[in-house]
Amino acid sequence: MNWKRTLGLDNLSEEYAFARNESTGYTSVKKIPDHWIPTTCGYCSVGCGIEIGVKDGRAVASRPFALHPVNRGKLCPKGLSEHYIIDTDNRAKYPLLRKGGKLVRVGWDEALSVMVERFRTTQAEYGAESLGVLSTGQLVTEEFYTLGKLVQLGFGTNNYDGNTTLCMASAVSGYKISFGSDGPPGAYEDMERADVVLLIGANLADNHPILCQYLEANRNKTLIVADPRVSKTAMMADIHLPLKPRSDLALLNGIAYILIRYNLVDRDYVEKHATGFADLERLLEGYTPERVAEITGLSQEAIFKTALLYGRAKAGFIGWTMGVNHSTLGTATVNAICNLALLTGNIGRAGAAPFSITGQCNAMGTREAGFASSLPGYRKFESATDRAELASIWGVDESRLPAKRGLAYPDIVEAAVAKKIRALWIIATNPLVSYPNQDVLQHGLSNLDFLVVQDGYHPTPTTELADLVLPAAIWGEKEGTYTNSERRVSKVNKAVEPPGEARSDFDIFLSIAERLGCRDELYPGWTTVEDAFNEWRCVSQGRLCDYSGISYGLLAEHGAVQWPLPEGADPSVTSRLYTDGRFQTPDGRARFVCADWAPFPEQPGGNYPFVLNTGRTVEHWHTRTKTREVPILERLSPRAWLEMNPRDAKVLGLRSHDSVDVVSRRGRVRGVELRLTEITAPGQVFMPFHFAETNVNEVTQDAFDPISREPNYKQCAVRVERGANA
Ligand code: SF4
């Protein structure tokens, strides 16, 4: 017992001492750092510069990195509280191996030996491709590059994909088809320089909040937001287009129809830089304003107004995120966006871009340097020239490089259900919350002979199922680079040591390579992530995503720089792709793509009368593994909710804050708090996807884009019932 405290003699003055600090003002002494470490935010792809305040070896504060070119001294609520994610009770600290049905602590030697031995015996028995790997957009680029080599050349399987397929694979596929390569062509600055900004399926205010300052800085623009919900971003718009769910492709084709009919096509640009116009024109004959109005539920006037504004803009910017990507028509919709940009020549100029705003902090890094949907450096699996070039840089036999992409994420899950994938390695992702139709996933995972989960946190719903848990360092505990949505490469720095025996993913990959006996061949002389970065620079040289002029020194000097940056190029100039109208296709011309609209796969009706839309909220990050540990964010948004229009609630006899169940043909989410709001239109309901306890993915549909394999998270048919505990 503390007698001084009991007698009232100890007033905890040290515990509650405050002092003035030049950066944070009057602050608790415990939160005044000894020093600040500059780094890059580890949540979303905006890529804000941030500084971690460190006191006595612990992260105690976060503040904007004032010199960083992206966020200009601001952070969103997640960034401002990011240091809280490091020192939490649910960090994975030691390797854990399942013995006698329980996860027990083991040493790294045993953990990695068992992992390599189990993977090898599985592959020996069932074939190399019986091993699958699911990675993430959370690692640093150097780790993606290292992991890709390890999986493809070390373990010899190409059944390798990442959670990025759940997020922006349709943007990747769409860019590849339209322009011959992945790579967002524009820059954030374009939002400031456009006279028309069309955001489609993009709720920046919740999901990429710092980008809103680029919109706000542009006082002369017309902002058009196409979204079935009156999202926070829609509330900022000059024109909100509340289109019916999944009618965006019809809207885009309808705009293209009007552009052609009203002679708003840049004929010179089209003739010089694109092919396929005649076919597109034929397809668009079916997208008259009358028909598009019927499909979208918008007035013909609104469709005309949008088309004329975009068509007459000196610089037109179209941004999109998951509202477009999360669909069986995601790739086609991206192609339709690119069609509009090509028709009007709105690409490769200041303010003019078809711009995919991506999801995770380093989704772009894995697109460029990873080995999942492309060979490193946007090389194509199917190109013998690309494979030969890469093999020659690495000094390996060309036959070791796969000539086709392996299974994509949902196909890995299906292969596990079919017992073709027998061992799985999941890295820094939590599919037991994030994957659609959880029932199928759980079936697949339960079929595995061996499941390894490498993560910074334990327990998570996914680590709890693992046979082996490898504890990894997270943001703030390791070094490398992230690339953001505008192709800007930014340094990630270590501020504190990882907890317990957790190691950086990079160190884990090298240790596995050591046991596989391929470390010297694949990573000759490597000891640091900078070694990986320097090799990656060479691999990217001469490619669209050329990093050869970027070094850690340059990043320290400039804060962050955009690719392509060939050696000797000026890092301070805003970079855009396709400024010369030459694309990454064999003939240098972009492709018009005939992207035809179709209704979404599971229409509402009968027992399932509502269309369920899913999405995010500003306070949380993906499966909430991190943000549930941040007190202020958790207090702001502690539980899931279901948004419903009051007119529907009246019919069902439901009231605000009632506890309801959401039911689909696949499952039931119990005990969700009902919110009545006009934000959501009658016939639709919306639920955030962050919450494991009330997981919307119990009811979402496992329907996928046929090209990108991205899930159709955004629409499925549900009914809403009063919950048992209402
Ligand atoms: S906008 Fe994104 S990158 Fe910037 S602070 Fe917020 S979460 Fe981090």
Side-chain angles (χ1 to χ4, degrees), residues 66-101:
L67 299 178
H68 200 277
V70 166
N71 46 317
R72 304 166 178 174
K74 293 199 173 76
L75 290 173
C76 82
K78 288 196 287 288
L80 281 169
S81 54
E82 197 159 359
H83 58 285
Y84 283 105
I85 70 169
I86 294 177
D87 198 359
T88 66
D89 291 340
N90 64 342
R91 289 298 308 277
K93 297 192 179 81
Y94 305 99
L96 302 170
L97 182 64
R98 195 168 294 280
K99 294 182 178 177

Side-chain angles (χ1 to χ4, degrees), residues 41-50 70-71 74-80 82 207-211 621:
C41 179
Y43 288 116
C44 89
S45 69
V46 174
C48 296
I50 189 167
V70 166
N71 46 317
K74 293 199 173 76
L75 290 173
C76 82
K78 288 196 287 288
L80 281 169
E82 197 159 359
N207 305 328
H208 301 87
I210 290 298
L211 292 187
W621 179 246

Side-chain angles (χ1 to χ4, degrees), residues 71 128 250 272 369 428 675:
N71 46 317
K272 283 190 185 139
R675 285 187 192 170

Side-chain angles (χ1 to χ4, degrees), residues 17-39:
F18 276 66
R20 191 156 298 283
N21 176 260
E22 60 170 48
S23 142
T24 52
Y26 201 54
T27 307
S28 163
V29 167
K30 289 193 294 187
K31 297 196 170 188
I32 296 178
D34 309 325
H35 60 281
W36 294 90
I37 301 290
T39 187

